[in-house]
Amino acid sequence: IRDIDYANLASAYMVKKDFKETRRYLDDAAGIYPQSPWVLYYTGLYHYLQQEWESAVFYFTQVAGMAGKTGKFGELGDGATQLLPEIYLQQAKAAIERQDYVQAADRLEAVLLYKPGSAEFLTYLCEVYYNMGRVKEARDCVLRALSINPDHSSAQRLLMILDNTAAPNAVLR
């Protein structure tokens, strides 16, 4: 059985939401084809669906790197690259909930490597910077967000807060 056959079987079980069988096929495939982009991609997808963000990032970055180096497996690399920003955003939201603003900023900055023109992600980063006491960076972020989308209501609200604030005094929500 080829690596792509294992990946297709695992995918079929993912569609059925039978994650126990999905995992069994992926584990078998990883034992035989540990560097297969197909196996790595579907293992990343499995972890994504399980909301196991760190593991999903690990597998997707491997696939994206292979696709970039070899020029092959473009569809897998593209798929992994499309899911990474969403994963980073989920990690950032979890970090914000824990008030771990350093981790949140790191994850949002990673999102912006993939989506530099996203007013939404810039606005999230503005809030994180503000809560870290980095008012200048927060202002720069919100101005960038508004240059992309002047009607972005959250960015407009944040700019008003920043214009009236010399230093952070409350957590933005």
Side-chain angles (χ1 to χ4, degrees):
I1 187 166
R2 299 173 306 156
D3 61 341
I4 193 167
D5 297 325
Y6 274 109
N8 286 333
L9 288 168
S11 175
Y13 282 108
M14 271 189 230
V15 170
K16 294 178 185 177
K17 297 191 185 324
D18 184 342
F19 295 110
K20 183 177 178 182
E21 284 299 304
T22 298
R23 185 61 192 235
R24 186 173 71 80
Y25 278 102
L26 290 172
D27 287 346
D28 289 350
I32 300 166
Y33 304 104
Q35 293 301 309
S36 163
W38 293 100
V39 174
L40 293 170
Y41 176 80
Y42 281 100
T43 303
L45 188 58
Y46 165 83
H47 288 290
Y48 174 80
L49 294 172
Q50 297 297 305
Q51 297 184 358
E52 297 167 349
W53 309 123
E54 293 295 326
S55 295
V57 167
F58 173 79
Y59 290 103
F60 285 148
T61 53
Q62 285 189 35
V63 173
M66 285 178 175
K69 286 179 188 172
T70 65
K72 298 178 184 176
F73 312 110
E75 68 276 7
L76 294 179
D78 291 347
T81 301
Q82 288 174 12
L83 289 173
L84 280 170
E86 174 62 28
I87 295 167
Y88 291 146
L89 179 61
Q90 294 303 323
Q91 289 175 319
K93 287 179 178 180
I96 290 167
E97 287 295 315
R98 296 188 311 273
Q99 295 184 356
D100 181 352
Y101 299 119
V102 172
Q103 174 71 18
D106 178 67
R107 297 292 80 194
L108 288 166
E109 289 163 356
V111 168
L112 289 166
L113 291 175
Y114 292 92
K115 298 192 177 269
S118 170
E120 187 71 25
F121 296 140
L122 284 164
T123 303
Y124 274 118
L125 187 57
C126 167
E127 291 187 42
V128 168
Y129 283 159
Y130 179 86
N131 287 312
M132 293 172 72
R134 295 168 58 181
V135 176
K136 181 187 179 325
E137 289 97 331
R139 185 173 175 68
D140 291 346
C141 253
V142 79
L143 290 174
R144 237 174 92 202
L146 288 168
S147 74
I148 293 165
N149 180 357
D151 298 324
H152 195 283
S153 60
S154 294
Q156 291 171 345
R157 179 181 61 82
L158 290 171
L159 182 60
M160 285 181 12
I161 291 169
L162 288 166
D163 281 346
N164 295 312
T165 304
N169 55 13
V171 174
L172 297 176
R173 291 283 168 183

